[in-house]
Amino acid sequence: MKKPLLAALGALMITGTGLAAPAVAATETSTGTKAPAAVQAVTFAGTVSLSNCSGSVVRFPDSEDDDPALVMSNGHCLETGFPAAGEVIVDRASTRTFGLLNSAGTRVATLRASKITYATMTDTDVSLYQLTTTYGQIKSSYNISPLTLNDTHPVAGTAITVVSGYWKRTYACNIDGFAYRLKEGVWTWKDSVRYTSACQTIGGTSGSPVIDNATGNVVAVNNTGNEDGGRCTDNNPCEVDQNGTVTVRAGINYGQETYQIPACFGLDSKLDLNASGCTLPKP
């Protein structure tokens, strides 16, 4: 996993690459070059900053304005710590706050959760918080719309942008392919998105939405990368194929697909893990 914020700051200070979050949102890629025109259209609107991670206000294709809004981040970004392997959290009370960003990356509001609707680090690495406000209320008050989760499997070669609400920075690259299994320490994730090398995400970018540049929809949630070339250890995930062959890709980063999430939610943002087509792990 991308390290929690405090650990990330320490590592960045040691390497000399750590800077305070800029007052104005960066529009550069992770290599420091200007983002191409297609990436410029991807903004920070609807993303959020957490105390230790990034996230976004998300909706489903059939969500309505009066539905309670949801914030998506990683399971390993929970305020209660990492879920254990095999653990699934459902409908746990939470009053966590999130800094809502506008298109320029300026914090315009503080949103508050009423509960953790769903969270796990099994098969995927995701958390979904239900807010005390609706999508319509956020739009009316701040003129910011949620990001839409795509409900179809992402495609290799797609141009994507990882948008970090914490760092107010974007990372532009392509989907390189998919890892049948991605193993990191005691956790295993299925069908993970592998980025091309240009997306050099850092600690604090965990939970960032991975956006399809062409549609503006979310196709994954950023969560980890192989930092030191280690084999299947914490902060050094490895890929395991269908035959059990292990591949280590040092310096390569990954996200977890989100297309399967909409099938698990019904009216009023209500979670239903027994719904037809829902494949998320159950408690």
Side-chain angles (χ1 to χ4, degrees):
M1 283 74 66
K2 291 301 174 187
K3 294 181 289 291
L5 175 59
L6 291 179
L9 286 173
L12 289 170
M13 290 175 68
I14 291 171
T15 60
T17 58
L19 297 174
V24 178
T27 56
E28 62 180 14
T29 67
S30 57
T31 60
T33 58
K34 272 194 173 181
V39 176
Q40 296 281 2
V42 176
T43 75
F44 294 90
T47 62
V48 300
S49 59
L50 285 68
S51 57
N52 60 345
C53 288
S54 301
S56 55
V57 181
V58 295
R59 68 182 294 274
F60 310 122
D62 57 355
S63 293
E64 299 180 351
D65 285 349
D66 61 354
D67 290 342
L70 299 172
V71 161
M72 181 178 71
S73 188
N74 285 147
H76 80 259
C77 291
L78 290 179
E79 66 270 38
T80 51
F82 291 7
E87 183 180 7
V88 175
I89 297 165
V90 172
D91 292 336
R92 176 184 292 176
S94 173
T95 58
R96 192 170 195 180
T97 58
F98 312 91
L100 177 66
L101 306 185
N102 65 12
S103 61
T106 302
R107 182 171 176 151
V108 296
T110 298
L111 304 175
R112 185 175 296 275
S114 61
K115 65 179 178 179
I116 302 168
T117 296
Y118 183 87
T120 191
M121 288 178 64
T122 299
D123 293 355
T124 186
D125 183 8
V126 69
S127 59
L128 290 153
Y129 289 82
Q130 182 171 302
L131 302 183
T132 58
T133 47
T134 67
Y135 297 117
Q137 288 170 331
I138 294 172
K139 176 68 173 178
S140 175
S141 297
Y142 312 110
N143 197 30
I144 293 175
S145 299
L147 302 177
T148 299
L149 295 187
N150 205 30
D151 59 2
T152 58
H153 193 285
V155 177
T158 298
I160 55 172
T161 303
V162 181
V163 186
S164 172
Y166 180 81
W167 288 112
K168 301 179 176 65
R169 184 177 179 183
T170 63
Y171 300 79
C173 61
N174 290 350
I175 294 177
D176 183 55
F178 307 94
Y180 175 71
R181 296 290 184 268
L182 192 67
K183 182 172 175 56
E184 180 173 344
V186 300
W187 295 280
T188 300
W189 303 305
K190 295 180 178 179
D191 199 19
S192 303
V193 175
R194 182 197 317 117
Y195 312 146
T196 53
S197 59
C199 278
Q200 289 296 305
T201 50
I202 61 174
T205 64
S206 287
S208 299
V210 180
I211 297 176
D212 181 332
N213 295 346
T215 65
N217 289 346
V218 177
V219 295
V221 57
N222 180 63
N223 83 307
T224 195
N226 187 292
E227 298 181 3
D228 308 309
R231 180 185 171 98
C232 314
T233 59
D234 289 352
N235 302 315
N236 289 287
C238 64
E239 298 184 19
V240 184
D241 70 13
Q242 291 167 292
N243 298 316
T245 302
V246 174
T247 301
V248 173
R249 302 179 191 269
I252 294 299
N253 295 292
Y254 300 86
Q256 299 307 311
E257 296 168 349
T258 53
Y259 77 96
Q260 71 275 38
I261 295 174
C264 301
F265 283 80
L267 294 174
D268 300 323
S269 304
K270 185 174 177 58
L271 178 69
D272 182 3
L273 295 177
N274 294 314
S276 175
C278 178
T279 59
L280 288 177
K282 300 178 183 179

